[in-house]
Amino acid sequence: MTTITLRNLRKEFDDVVAVNGLDLTVRDGEFLVVVGPSGCGKSTTLRLLAGLETATDGEIRMDDRDVTHTEPKDRNVAMVFQNYALYPHMTGRRNITFGMNATDSFADEEIDRRVAEAAETLDITDLLDRKPQAMSGGERQRVALGRAIVRDPDAFLMDEPLSNLDAKLRIQMRAELTRLHAELGTTTVYVTHDQTEAMTLGERVVVMDDGRIQQVDPPQALYDFPTNRFVAEFIGDPAMNMIDVAVEDGVAVHDGFRIPLPSGKTVDGTDGEWLDGTEAEALADPDAGDRPTAVLGIRPEDLYPARDRPDLGETTFDATVEVTEPLGDSLLVHCSVGDATFKMGAEPRSSLEPGGTVSVTYDPARLHLFAPETGEAFYHSATAPAPAGRIDATTND
Amino acid sequence: MTDTIQYAKRRFEAVKRSIVGDRDEESTLLAGREGNAGVHLQLWFLVTLVVFPIFIAVVVSTKQQGIVTSLPDLIPGTYAVENYREAIVDYGFGRFMWNSLLMSVVVVVGKLVISVLAAVAIVYYRVPYKDLVFLFVLFTLLLPVPIRFVPLFQLINDLGWGNSLLAITVPYLASATTVFILRQHFLSIPTSIVETAKLDGVGPVAFTLRVLIPMSRGVLVGVSIIMFVYAWNQYLWPLVIIDSEANQVAQVGLQLLQGDVQGGQLSWSLVMAGSVLTLLPPLALMILFRKPLLETFAIQQK
């Protein structure tokens, strides 16, 4: 059981800054997912944790131990790789025991017992005498997991372990990983580029971009209260609509619509003060002139054709249907209003034709405002107080 | 009711698709066979072209005189046993073959050991300017042994190695080609495997012996065979540095076979018997290890 603390962690490759001043605490026994687009520094961070890369600056602590410059083998972490990294010439059992044999720190009976135990947990007993060549992708990944858990490491580091599996198997393994973590309770850092994986697996999710942490929060908080445009657009599929608006008298004003901003919560107010639309206006850029004073963010799933949701209130606006994409469980409608385009989720069998006009309504509790220059969120209309974990997360222990 | 109708329709479509699909498959298969016939014809032609001289050598080695001037001369003679016995026993060809074998094995083993160590160092260790070092190793390709004959001759004699196994093996122990091939192969091994070993605390020696070498078995065998044939075919250097008959190698021994020219009567059948004998060890290796050899040098489809 281990708490991992990163302080101002920095990694440069020649003139590229891969990780730029990371401060993060991975709590004891936590399943932490690091997500971000490729090149955001998430894999480098994991490799720094493993000791496969040397930090340019900053500090890594595991509990009270400073491991910043410790050799990988002395960190007692186990890593699971995207390509499984099994030794092709060894059987499953040999793959699992090879590392344990190498260090001489385990007696033979101990090894046998642990292998049997891990094989039981992962249901790979019949794979032990097979070589990787004779295993499917899922089976290989299980053996690789087995190799990681037999050593009873202080932390698991997983680098996109499911990306090479097909969609169905991936979902199955996802559930399995969750179960495994519940069973073992080992601190886990899991890197992925897939936001669905991040949301489903993580107790907390770290969103990274450009070598920096954008936000650390439990999945739902990430979805409900993104701290900036990057997180808002990265989490959620299809991505959040972003429309340039002016904020006047607590109303988001656009050529095609006027959306009143209900009382909400400011991200900026460190004491967690509540903010109404008028105050949001004060935070918006008053000297913007012709430029938009704010960017309004609404998720496609929070927009509805007005006739589907008469309960949502009287504020509606008309938009032109451009394209419709049936997704089976819903219909994704691309609309335009004035110079803005947005996507909207509609009932799957709605009769919306391209070129037609649709009256659009929205969930007033799900509005977000972002500063046009910095992209920082300064207003969320959600009135629900943030869960305890979130307050914790912003201070980051 | 509608469900049933749709099912029937769907089933019909499926059946139709599978029938049409099958027919398509069959026709491409046939086309493949026709194409294969052409390819086979070409292969036969090329193989015949390559094998014909060897065939003649084998035929000649069974004759008394061994002059081939017309087609009927291609019928094997009856002097096979006699000729081979004379070459092996009377001319000491068995001894030459043994020396060649010893030389080749020592060269191959030495090359492998040195090259594996060099490639491991170049690929897996943080050596300053290692690309430059590797480039320097490649540069030695521009300076093959024959160019160094004169100073090498001097050096070997100064060391007192003349006439010994050391003289014909040590100069060939370093091989830029082998280092290059192994380096490329090691680079193709996923880094995650190396990193797993690192995290597991597997040391460099254990990693090389238990992971790297088993994973490179095919390449190592392939390279060994090429190197064996190369060493086996050494002629000029042994001729220069070895002057006692007891230590001479087979390729030079061939030359000695035709040394016995009497009145312009060169005994071609003896020379050919010797040639066929020298051909056998590399041929046996090629046949035995053809699979790893092909794997090593075939273009890999990825």
Side-chain angles (χ1 to χ4, degrees), chain A residues 47 50 52 72-73 77-79 81 83 85-90 94 98-99 102-103 147 151, chain B residues 126 190-203 206-207 210-212 214-215 217:
Chain A
R47 295 169 59 79
L52 297 171
K73 65 180 162 67
V77 295
M79 195 151 167
F81 292 90
N83 60 2
L86 295 177
Y87 306 114
H89 58 290
M90 298 183 188
R94 194 85 182 84
F98 184 62
T103 49
R147 176 168 66 185
R151 283 183 44 222
Chain B
R126 229 172 284 144
T191 45
S192 56
I193 286 198
V194 187
E195 289 170 348
T196 303
K198 252 190 222 169
L199 286 164
D200 279 349
V202 178
F207 178 72
R210 315 265 289 279
V211 178
L212 217 47
M215 280 185 74
R217 210 182 291 151

mmCIF file of all heavy atoms in Angstrom, chain A residues 47 50 52 72-73 77-79 81 83 85-90 94 98-99 102-103 147 151, chain B residues 126 190-203 206-207 210-212 214-215 217:
data_model
loop_
_atom_site.group_PDB
_atom_site.id
_atom_site.type_symbol
_atom_site.label_atom_id
_atom_site.label_comp_id
_atom_site.label_asym_id
_atom_site.label_seq_id
_atom_site.Cartn_x
_atom_site.Cartn_y
_atom_site.Cartn_z
ATOM 1 N N ARG A 47 6.401 6.529 -17.089
ATOM 2 C CA ARG A 47 7.761 5.997 -17.194
ATOM 3 C C ARG A 47 8.677 6.644 -16.154
ATOM 4 O O ARG A 47 9.611 6.023 -15.679
ATOM 5 C CB ARG A 47 8.295 6.188 -18.601
ATOM 6 C CG ARG A 47 7.507 5.360 -19.632
ATOM 7 C CD ARG A 47 7.861 5.752 -21.052
ATOM 8 N NE ARG A 47 9.267 5.571 -21.299
ATOM 9 C CZ ARG A 47 9.840 4.404 -21.556
ATOM 10 N NH1 ARG A 47 9.091 3.326 -21.620
ATOM 11 N NH2 ARG A 47 11.124 4.312 -21.755
ATOM 12 N N ALA A 50 8.002 4.750 -13.077
ATOM 13 C CA ALA A 50 8.627 3.429 -13.102
ATOM 14 C C ALA A 50 10.136 3.512 -12.975
ATOM 15 O O ALA A 50 10.786 2.544 -12.611
ATOM 16 C CB ALA A 50 8.257 2.713 -14.396
ATOM 17 N N LEU A 52 11.942 4.368 -15.647
ATOM 18 C CA LEU A 52 12.490 4.085 -16.974
ATOM 19 C C LEU A 52 12.997 5.359 -17.637
ATOM 20 O O LEU A 52 13.737 5.322 -18.607
ATOM 21 C CB LEU A 52 11.422 3.424 -17.855
ATOM 22 C CG LEU A 52 10.958 2.062 -17.339
ATOM 23 C CD1 LEU A 52 9.753 1.568 -18.116
ATOM 24 C CD2 LEU A 52 12.081 1.045 -17.422
ATOM 25 N N PRO A 72 14.886 1.338 -11.386
ATOM 26 C CA PRO A 72 13.551 0.750 -11.533
ATOM 27 C C PRO A 72 13.331 -0.469 -10.644
ATOM 28 O O PRO A 72 12.294 -0.603 -10.020
ATOM 29 C CB PRO A 72 13.508 0.346 -13.007
ATOM 30 C CG PRO A 72 14.521 1.188 -13.685
ATOM 31 C CD PRO A 72 15.554 1.551 -12.668
ATOM 32 N N LYS A 73 14.336 -1.350 -10.571
ATOM 33 C CA LYS A 73 14.129 -2.600 -9.838
ATOM 34 C C LYS A 73 13.982 -2.379 -8.334
ATOM 35 O O LYS A 73 13.438 -3.213 -7.635
ATOM 36 C CB LYS A 73 15.261 -3.585 -10.128
ATOM 37 C CG LYS A 73 16.634 -3.142 -9.634
ATOM 38 C CD LYS A 73 17.680 -4.199 -9.979
ATOM 39 C CE LYS A 73 19.090 -3.706 -9.941
ATOM 40 N NZ LYS A 73 19.624 -3.338 -8.645
ATOM 41 N N VAL A 77 7.733 -1.544 -8.243
ATOM 42 C CA VAL A 77 6.508 -1.293 -8.994
ATOM 43 C C VAL A 77 6.447 -2.322 -10.126
ATOM 44 O O VAL A 77 7.469 -2.842 -10.539
ATOM 45 C CB VAL A 77 6.478 0.127 -9.598
ATOM 46 C CG1 VAL A 77 6.454 1.165 -8.508
ATOM 47 C CG2 VAL A 77 7.651 0.350 -10.530
ATOM 48 N N ALA A 78 5.244 -2.621 -10.581
ATOM 49 C CA ALA A 78 5.099 -3.539 -11.712
ATOM 50 C C ALA A 78 4.402 -2.794 -12.822
ATOM 51 O O ALA A 78 3.477 -2.018 -12.584
ATOM 52 C CB ALA A 78 4.302 -4.763 -11.311
ATOM 53 N N MET A 79 4.871 -3.011 -14.039
ATOM 54 C CA MET A 79 4.300 -2.264 -15.155
ATOM 55 C C MET A 79 3.647 -3.242 -16.124
ATOM 56 O O MET A 79 4.164 -4.325 -16.377
ATOM 57 C CB MET A 79 5.416 -1.482 -15.842
ATOM 58 C CG MET A 79 4.915 -0.415 -16.766
ATOM 59 S SD MET A 79 6.103 0.937 -16.875
ATOM 60 C CE MET A 79 5.461 1.818 -18.271
ATOM 61 N N PHE A 81 2.321 -3.365 -20.042
ATOM 62 C CA PHE A 81 2.492 -2.593 -21.266
ATOM 63 C C PHE A 81 1.381 -2.862 -22.268
ATOM 64 O O PHE A 81 0.720 -3.893 -22.225
ATOM 65 C CB PHE A 81 3.826 -2.945 -21.928
ATOM 66 C CG PHE A 81 5.026 -2.499 -21.141
ATOM 67 C CD1 PHE A 81 5.599 -3.322 -20.191
ATOM 68 C CD2 PHE A 81 5.579 -1.261 -21.364
ATOM 69 C CE1 PHE A 81 6.703 -2.926 -19.471
ATOM 70 C CE2 PHE A 81 6.684 -0.847 -20.657
ATOM 71 C CZ PHE A 81 7.252 -1.677 -19.704
ATOM 72 N N ASN A 83 1.731 -3.644 -25.381
ATOM 73 C CA ASN A 83 1.988 -4.832 -26.210
ATOM 74 C C ASN A 83 2.309 -6.052 -25.356
ATOM 75 O O ASN A 83 2.941 -6.979 -25.825
ATOM 76 C CB ASN A 83 3.103 -4.550 -27.209
ATOM 77 C CG ASN A 83 4.396 -4.185 -26.520
ATOM 78 O OD1 ASN A 83 4.479 -4.174 -25.291
ATOM 79 N ND2 ASN A 83 5.420 -3.889 -27.283
ATOM 80 N N ALA A 85 4.425 -7.250 -23.656
ATOM 81 C CA ALA A 85 5.844 -7.457 -23.326
ATOM 82 C C ALA A 85 6.121 -8.809 -22.700
ATOM 83 O O ALA A 85 6.901 -8.923 -21.770
ATOM 84 C CB ALA A 85 6.350 -6.336 -22.408
ATOM 85 N N LEU A 86 5.471 -9.855 -23.212
ATOM 86 C CA LEU A 86 5.789 -11.202 -22.735
ATOM 87 C C LEU A 86 7.019 -11.697 -23.488
ATOM 88 O O LEU A 86 7.224 -11.350 -24.640
ATOM 89 C CB LEU A 86 4.617 -12.149 -22.987
ATOM 90 C CG LEU A 86 3.338 -11.849 -22.211
ATOM 91 C CD1 LEU A 86 2.253 -12.829 -22.618
ATOM 92 C CD2 LEU A 86 3.580 -11.922 -20.719
ATOM 93 N N TYR A 87 7.823 -12.508 -22.808
ATOM 94 C CA TYR A 87 8.971 -13.105 -23.490
ATOM 95 C C TYR A 87 8.451 -14.217 -24.392
ATOM 96 O O TYR A 87 7.863 -15.179 -23.903
ATOM 97 C CB TYR A 87 9.963 -13.668 -22.475
ATOM 98 C CG TYR A 87 10.400 -12.667 -21.442
ATOM 99 C CD1 TYR A 87 10.077 -12.814 -20.108
ATOM 100 C CD2 TYR A 87 11.147 -11.553 -21.810
ATOM 101 C CE1 TYR A 87 10.478 -11.893 -19.160
ATOM 102 C CE2 TYR A 87 11.545 -10.628 -20.865
ATOM 103 C CZ TYR A 87 11.208 -10.801 -19.537
ATOM 104 O OH TYR A 87 11.607 -9.886 -18.608
ATOM 105 N N PRO A 88 8.645 -14.100 -25.710
ATOM 106 C CA PRO A 88 7.979 -15.029 -26.629
ATOM 107 C C PRO A 88 8.472 -16.472 -26.518
ATOM 108 O O PRO A 88 7.774 -17.386 -26.906
ATOM 109 C CB PRO A 88 8.304 -14.462 -28.016
ATOM 110 C CG PRO A 88 9.494 -13.597 -27.809
ATOM 111 C CD PRO A 88 9.434 -13.092 -26.402
ATOM 112 N N HIS A 89 9.680 -16.662 -25.988
ATOM 113 C CA HIS A 89 10.231 -18.015 -25.959
ATOM 114 C C HIS A 89 9.958 -18.721 -24.637
ATOM 115 O O HIS A 89 10.441 -19.811 -24.411
ATOM 116 C CB HIS A 89 11.733 -17.961 -26.213
ATOM 117 C CG HIS A 89 12.460 -17.106 -25.225
ATOM 118 N ND1 HIS A 89 12.321 -15.725 -25.203
ATOM 119 C CD2 HIS A 89 13.280 -17.409 -24.210
ATOM 120 C CE1 HIS A 89 13.059 -15.241 -24.224
ATOM 121 N NE2 HIS A 89 13.651 -16.231 -23.607
ATOM 122 N N MET A 90 9.184 -18.076 -23.757
ATOM 123 C CA MET A 90 8.908 -18.708 -22.464
ATOM 124 C C MET A 90 7.423 -19.024 -22.337
ATOM 125 O O MET A 90 6.587 -18.307 -22.870
ATOM 126 C CB MET A 90 9.290 -17.754 -21.328
ATOM 127 C CG MET A 90 10.759 -17.391 -21.308
ATOM 128 S SD MET A 90 11.073 -16.338 -19.888
ATOM 129 C CE MET A 90 12.763 -15.855 -20.206
ATOM 130 N N ARG A 94 6.708 -19.499 -16.975
ATOM 131 C CA ARG A 94 8.085 -19.010 -16.976
ATOM 132 C C ARG A 94 8.087 -17.476 -17.085
ATOM 133 O O ARG A 94 8.885 -16.794 -16.447
ATOM 134 C CB ARG A 94 8.791 -19.653 -18.167
ATOM 135 C CG ARG A 94 10.254 -19.541 -18.176
ATOM 136 C CD ARG A 94 10.954 -20.622 -17.373
ATOM 137 N NE ARG A 94 12.374 -20.334 -17.459
ATOM 138 C CZ ARG A 94 13.003 -19.475 -16.661
ATOM 139 N NH1 ARG A 94 12.369 -18.932 -15.653
ATOM 140 N NH2 ARG A 94 14.273 -19.195 -16.850
ATOM 141 N N PHE A 98 9.907 -15.525 -14.165
ATOM 142 C CA PHE A 98 11.267 -15.137 -14.582
ATOM 143 C C PHE A 98 11.821 -13.992 -13.731
ATOM 144 O O PHE A 98 12.944 -14.057 -13.243
ATOM 145 C CB PHE A 98 11.269 -14.749 -16.065
ATOM 146 C CG PHE A 98 12.629 -14.428 -16.596
ATOM 147 C CD1 PHE A 98 13.630 -15.386 -16.605
ATOM 148 C CD2 PHE A 98 12.925 -13.165 -17.079
ATOM 149 C CE1 PHE A 98 14.893 -15.093 -17.094
ATOM 150 C CE2 PHE A 98 14.182 -12.867 -17.567
ATOM 151 C CZ PHE A 98 15.162 -13.834 -17.576
ATOM 152 N N GLY A 99 11.018 -12.970 -13.546
ATOM 153 C CA GLY A 99 11.477 -11.833 -12.762
ATOM 154 C C GLY A 99 11.712 -12.192 -11.303
ATOM 155 O O GLY A 99 12.658 -11.730 -10.688
ATOM 156 N N ALA A 102 14.872 -14.046 -10.930
ATOM 157 C CA ALA A 102 16.057 -13.239 -11.200
ATOM 158 C C ALA A 102 16.586 -12.561 -9.942
ATOM 159 O O ALA A 102 17.778 -12.344 -9.805
ATOM 160 C CB ALA A 102 15.741 -12.196 -12.262
ATOM 161 N N THR A 103 15.683 -12.236 -9.032
ATOM 162 C CA THR A 103 16.135 -11.446 -7.888
ATOM 163 C C THR A 103 16.528 -12.291 -6.673
ATOM 164 O O THR A 103 17.050 -11.766 -5.705
ATOM 165 C CB THR A 103 15.045 -10.447 -7.463
ATOM 166 O OG1 THR A 103 13.813 -11.170 -7.348
ATOM 167 C CG2 THR A 103 14.894 -9.351 -8.475
ATOM 168 N N ARG A 147 1.905 -11.641 -14.219
ATOM 169 C CA ARG A 147 3.303 -11.358 -13.940
ATOM 170 C C ARG A 147 3.429 -10.142 -13.018
ATOM 171 O O ARG A 147 4.303 -10.082 -12.158
ATOM 172 C CB ARG A 147 4.036 -11.106 -15.258
ATOM 173 C CG ARG A 147 5.472 -10.715 -15.066
ATOM 174 C CD ARG A 147 6.222 -10.760 -16.353
ATOM 175 N NE ARG A 147 5.737 -9.746 -17.291
ATOM 176 C CZ ARG A 147 6.171 -9.636 -18.534
ATOM 177 N NH1 ARG A 147 7.053 -10.473 -18.998
ATOM 178 N NH2 ARG A 147 5.709 -8.693 -19.323
ATOM 179 N N ARG A 151 4.321 -10.420 -7.973
ATOM 180 C CA ARG A 151 5.415 -9.809 -7.223
ATOM 181 C C ARG A 151 4.897 -8.967 -6.069
ATOM 182 O O ARG A 151 5.674 -8.448 -5.292
ATOM 183 C CB ARG A 151 6.269 -8.960 -8.165
ATOM 184 C CG ARG A 151 7.177 -9.834 -9.020
ATOM 185 C CD ARG A 151 8.066 -8.992 -9.881
ATOM 186 N NE ARG A 151 8.625 -7.885 -9.159
ATOM 187 C CZ ARG A 151 8.729 -6.661 -9.640
ATOM 188 N NH1 ARG A 151 8.313 -6.404 -10.855
ATOM 189 N NH2 ARG A 151 9.254 -5.708 -8.933
ATOM 190 N N ARG B 126 24.139 3.047 -22.509
ATOM 191 C CA ARG B 126 24.306 4.451 -22.802
ATOM 192 C C ARG B 126 25.803 4.723 -22.944
ATOM 193 O O ARG B 126 26.472 5.072 -21.987
ATOM 194 C CB ARG B 126 23.691 5.300 -21.691
ATOM 195 C CG ARG B 126 22.791 6.391 -22.231
ATOM 196 C CD ARG B 126 22.043 7.073 -21.108
ATOM 197 N NE ARG B 126 20.947 6.254 -20.608
ATOM 198 C CZ ARG B 126 20.587 6.213 -19.321
ATOM 199 N NH1 ARG B 126 21.220 6.910 -18.426
ATOM 200 N NH2 ARG B 126 19.581 5.457 -18.955
ATOM 201 N N PRO B 190 10.851 -5.313 -29.014
ATOM 202 C CA PRO B 190 10.144 -4.205 -28.369
ATOM 203 C C PRO B 190 10.864 -3.735 -27.102
ATOM 204 O O PRO B 190 11.300 -4.563 -26.307
ATOM 205 C CB PRO B 190 8.793 -4.812 -28.004
ATOM 206 C CG PRO B 190 8.661 -6.027 -28.827
ATOM 207 C CD PRO B 190 10.025 -6.496 -29.194
ATOM 208 N N THR B 191 10.971 -2.426 -26.928
ATOM 209 C CA THR B 191 11.668 -1.906 -25.754
ATOM 210 C C THR B 191 10.944 -2.311 -24.475
ATOM 211 O O THR B 191 11.561 -2.413 -23.432
ATOM 212 C CB THR B 191 11.754 -0.372 -25.788
ATOM 213 O OG1 THR B 191 10.481 0.114 -26.173
ATOM 214 C CG2 THR B 191 12.808 0.109 -26.745
ATOM 215 N N SER B 192 9.629 -2.553 -24.585
ATOM 216 C CA SER B 192 8.889 -2.894 -23.368
ATOM 217 C C SER B 192 9.410 -4.198 -22.763
ATOM 218 O O SER B 192 9.343 -4.384 -21.547
ATOM 219 C CB SER B 192 7.400 -2.990 -23.663
ATOM 220 O OG SER B 192 7.159 -3.909 -24.684
ATOM 221 N N ILE B 193 9.931 -5.089 -23.603
ATOM 222 C CA ILE B 193 10.475 -6.346 -23.075
ATOM 223 C C ILE B 193 11.722 -6.056 -22.249
ATOM 224 O O ILE B 193 11.902 -6.578 -21.152
ATOM 225 C CB ILE B 193 10.772 -7.315 -24.239
ATOM 226 C CG1 ILE B 193 9.445 -7.852 -24.754
ATOM 227 C CG2 ILE B 193 11.704 -8.433 -23.795
ATOM 228 C CD1 ILE B 193 9.526 -9.079 -25.579
ATOM 229 N N VAL B 194 12.559 -5.168 -22.776
ATOM 230 C CA VAL B 194 13.765 -4.782 -22.044
ATOM 231 C C VAL B 194 13.369 -4.102 -20.740
ATOM 232 O O VAL B 194 13.947 -4.346 -19.673
ATOM 233 C CB VAL B 194 14.604 -3.820 -22.902
ATOM 234 C CG1 VAL B 194 15.921 -3.551 -22.226
ATOM 235 C CG2 VAL B 194 14.807 -4.379 -24.285
ATOM 236 N N GLU B 195 12.352 -3.253 -20.828
ATOM 237 C CA GLU B 195 11.949 -2.487 -19.646
ATOM 238 C C GLU B 195 11.314 -3.380 -18.591
ATOM 239 O O GLU B 195 11.504 -3.174 -17.389
ATOM 240 C CB GLU B 195 11.004 -1.363 -20.073
ATOM 241 C CG GLU B 195 11.783 -0.305 -20.829
ATOM 242 C CD GLU B 195 10.921 0.733 -21.507
ATOM 243 O OE1 GLU B 195 9.697 0.528 -21.598
ATOM 244 O OE2 GLU B 195 11.486 1.743 -21.952
ATOM 245 N N THR B 196 10.545 -4.382 -19.037
ATOM 246 C CA THR B 196 9.988 -5.342 -18.085
ATOM 247 C C THR B 196 11.112 -6.013 -17.315
ATOM 248 O O THR B 196 11.060 -6.135 -16.086
ATOM 249 C CB THR B 196 9.166 -6.411 -18.834
ATOM 250 O OG1 THR B 196 8.162 -5.763 -19.577
ATOM 251 C CG2 THR B 196 8.532 -7.371 -17.874
ATOM 252 N N ALA B 197 12.137 -6.434 -18.050
ATOM 253 C CA ALA B 197 13.273 -7.092 -17.403
ATOM 254 C C ALA B 197 13.926 -6.143 -16.397
ATOM 255 O O ALA B 197 14.283 -6.530 -15.293
ATOM 256 C CB ALA B 197 14.273 -7.546 -18.447
ATOM 257 N N LYS B 198 14.047 -4.880 -16.794
ATOM 258 C CA LYS B 198 14.658 -3.890 -15.906
ATOM 259 C C LYS B 198 13.854 -3.753 -14.618
ATOM 260 O O LYS B 198 14.401 -3.724 -13.525
ATOM 261 C CB LYS B 198 14.679 -2.524 -16.609
ATOM 262 C CG LYS B 198 16.063 -2.083 -17.061
ATOM 263 C CD LYS B 198 15.991 -0.642 -17.503
ATOM 264 C CE LYS B 198 16.776 -0.421 -18.764
ATOM 265 N NZ LYS B 198 16.536 0.889 -19.360
ATOM 266 N N LEU B 199 12.529 -3.666 -14.773
ATOM 267 C CA LEU B 199 11.660 -3.510 -13.603
ATOM 268 C C LEU B 199 11.700 -4.751 -12.721
ATOM 269 O O LEU B 199 11.541 -4.671 -11.509
ATOM 270 C CB LEU B 199 10.223 -3.235 -14.045
ATOM 271 C CG LEU B 199 9.958 -1.836 -14.595
ATOM 272 C CD1 LEU B 199 8.653 -1.804 -15.354
ATOM 273 C CD2 LEU B 199 9.912 -0.831 -13.464
ATOM 274 N N ASP B 200 11.898 -5.915 -13.365
ATOM 275 C CA ASP B 200 11.949 -7.161 -12.603
ATOM 276 C C ASP B 200 13.295 -7.365 -11.940
ATOM 277 O O ASP B 200 13.479 -8.331 -11.209
ATOM 278 C CB ASP B 200 11.674 -8.349 -13.539
ATOM 279 C CG ASP B 200 10.197 -8.528 -13.793
ATOM 280 O OD1 ASP B 200 9.406 -7.878 -13.088
ATOM 281 O OD2 ASP B 200 9.829 -9.300 -14.686
ATOM 282 N N GLY B 201 14.241 -6.492 -12.231
ATOM 283 C CA GLY B 201 15.557 -6.641 -11.628
ATOM 284 C C GLY B 201 16.386 -7.725 -12.287
ATOM 285 O O GLY B 201 17.254 -8.314 -11.673
ATOM 286 N N VAL B 202 16.083 -8.027 -13.570
ATOM 287 C CA VAL B 202 16.892 -8.998 -14.300
ATOM 288 C C VAL B 202 18.184 -8.297 -14.732
ATOM 289 O O VAL B 202 18.137 -7.266 -15.387
ATOM 290 C CB VAL B 202 16.133 -9.522 -15.539
ATOM 291 C CG1 VAL B 202 16.989 -10.498 -16.315
ATOM 292 C CG2 VAL B 202 14.826 -10.167 -15.116
ATOM 293 N N GLY B 203 19.313 -8.834 -14.356
ATOM 294 C CA GLY B 203 20.593 -8.199 -14.656
ATOM 295 C C GLY B 203 20.966 -8.321 -16.120
ATOM 296 O O GLY B 203 20.352 -9.085 -16.858
ATOM 297 N N ALA B 206 22.027 -11.968 -17.233
ATOM 298 C CA ALA B 206 20.864 -12.847 -17.304
ATOM 299 C C ALA B 206 19.978 -12.443 -18.480
ATOM 300 O O ALA B 206 19.466 -13.290 -19.209
ATOM 301 C CB ALA B 206 20.072 -12.785 -16.005
ATOM 302 N N PHE B 207 19.829 -11.137 -18.688
ATOM 303 C CA PHE B 207 18.981 -10.672 -19.786
ATOM 304 C C PHE B 207 19.548 -11.127 -21.126
ATOM 305 O O PHE B 207 18.824 -11.636 -21.980
ATOM 306 C CB PHE B 207 18.864 -9.149 -19.738
ATOM 307 C CG PHE B 207 18.051 -8.588 -20.868
ATOM 308 C CD1 PHE B 207 16.676 -8.753 -20.899
ATOM 309 C CD2 PHE B 207 18.667 -7.917 -21.916
ATOM 310 C CE1 PHE B 207 15.928 -8.259 -21.940
ATOM 311 C CE2 PHE B 207 17.919 -7.419 -22.961
ATOM 312 C CZ PHE B 207 16.549 -7.585 -22.977
ATOM 313 N N ARG B 210 19.369 -15.181 -21.162
ATOM 314 C CA ARG B 210 18.080 -15.860 -21.024
ATOM 315 C C ARG B 210 16.982 -15.228 -21.863
ATOM 316 O O ARG B 210 15.959 -15.856 -22.119
ATOM 317 C CB ARG B 210 17.647 -15.871 -19.555
ATOM 318 C CG ARG B 210 18.775 -16.247 -18.599
ATOM 319 C CD ARG B 210 18.759 -17.713 -18.271
ATOM 320 N NE ARG B 210 17.639 -18.051 -17.409
ATOM 321 C CZ ARG B 210 17.651 -17.861 -16.086
ATOM 322 N NH1 ARG B 210 18.675 -17.311 -15.505
ATOM 323 N NH2 ARG B 210 16.612 -18.230 -15.376
ATOM 324 N N VAL B 211 17.151 -13.976 -22.256
ATOM 325 C CA VAL B 211 16.093 -13.333 -23.045
ATOM 326 C C VAL B 211 16.580 -13.028 -24.461
ATOM 327 O O VAL B 211 16.018 -13.484 -25.445
ATOM 328 C CB VAL B 211 15.597 -12.036 -22.370
ATOM 329 C CG1 VAL B 211 14.536 -11.368 -23.223
ATOM 330 C CG2 VAL B 211 15.067 -12.334 -20.984
ATOM 331 N N LEU B 212 17.654 -12.269 -24.539
ATOM 332 C CA LEU B 212 18.100 -11.770 -25.835
ATOM 333 C C LEU B 212 18.517 -12.900 -26.775
ATOM 334 O O LEU B 212 18.059 -12.973 -27.918
ATOM 335 C CB LEU B 212 19.279 -10.815 -25.606
ATOM 336 C CG LEU B 212 19.355 -9.607 -26.502
ATOM 337 C CD1 LEU B 212 18.020 -8.913 -26.588
ATOM 338 C CD2 LEU B 212 20.422 -8.658 -25.998
ATOM 339 N N PRO B 214 17.943 -16.291 -26.609
ATOM 340 C CA PRO B 214 16.837 -17.145 -27.068
ATOM 341 C C PRO B 214 15.910 -16.444 -28.059
ATOM 342 O O PRO B 214 15.417 -17.061 -29.004
ATOM 343 C CB PRO B 214 16.083 -17.474 -25.775
ATOM 344 C CG PRO B 214 17.062 -17.282 -24.693
ATOM 345 C CD PRO B 214 17.986 -16.205 -25.137
ATOM 346 N N MET B 215 15.697 -15.143 -27.872
ATOM 347 C CA MET B 215 14.801 -14.430 -28.792
ATOM 348 C C MET B 215 15.459 -14.196 -30.140
ATOM 349 O O MET B 215 14.792 -13.849 -31.101
ATOM 350 C CB MET B 215 14.384 -13.087 -28.181
ATOM 351 C CG MET B 215 13.270 -13.219 -27.162
ATOM 352 S SD MET B 215 12.706 -11.631 -26.565
ATOM 353 C CE MET B 215 11.772 -11.047 -27.981
ATOM 354 N N ARG B 217 17.463 -16.486 -31.618
ATOM 355 C CA ARG B 217 18.006 -17.766 -32.060
ATOM 356 C C ARG B 217 18.061 -17.856 -33.590
ATOM 357 O O ARG B 217 19.087 -18.223 -34.158
ATOM 358 C CB ARG B 217 17.152 -18.900 -31.494
ATOM 359 C CG ARG B 217 17.960 -20.157 -31.265
ATOM 360 C CD ARG B 217 17.085 -21.260 -30.750
ATOM 361 N NE ARG B 217 16.634 -20.991 -29.388
ATOM 362 C CZ ARG B 217 15.486 -21.446 -28.887
ATOM 363 N NH1 ARG B 217 14.665 -22.142 -29.634
ATOM 364 N NH2 ARG B 217 15.141 -21.163 -27.644
#
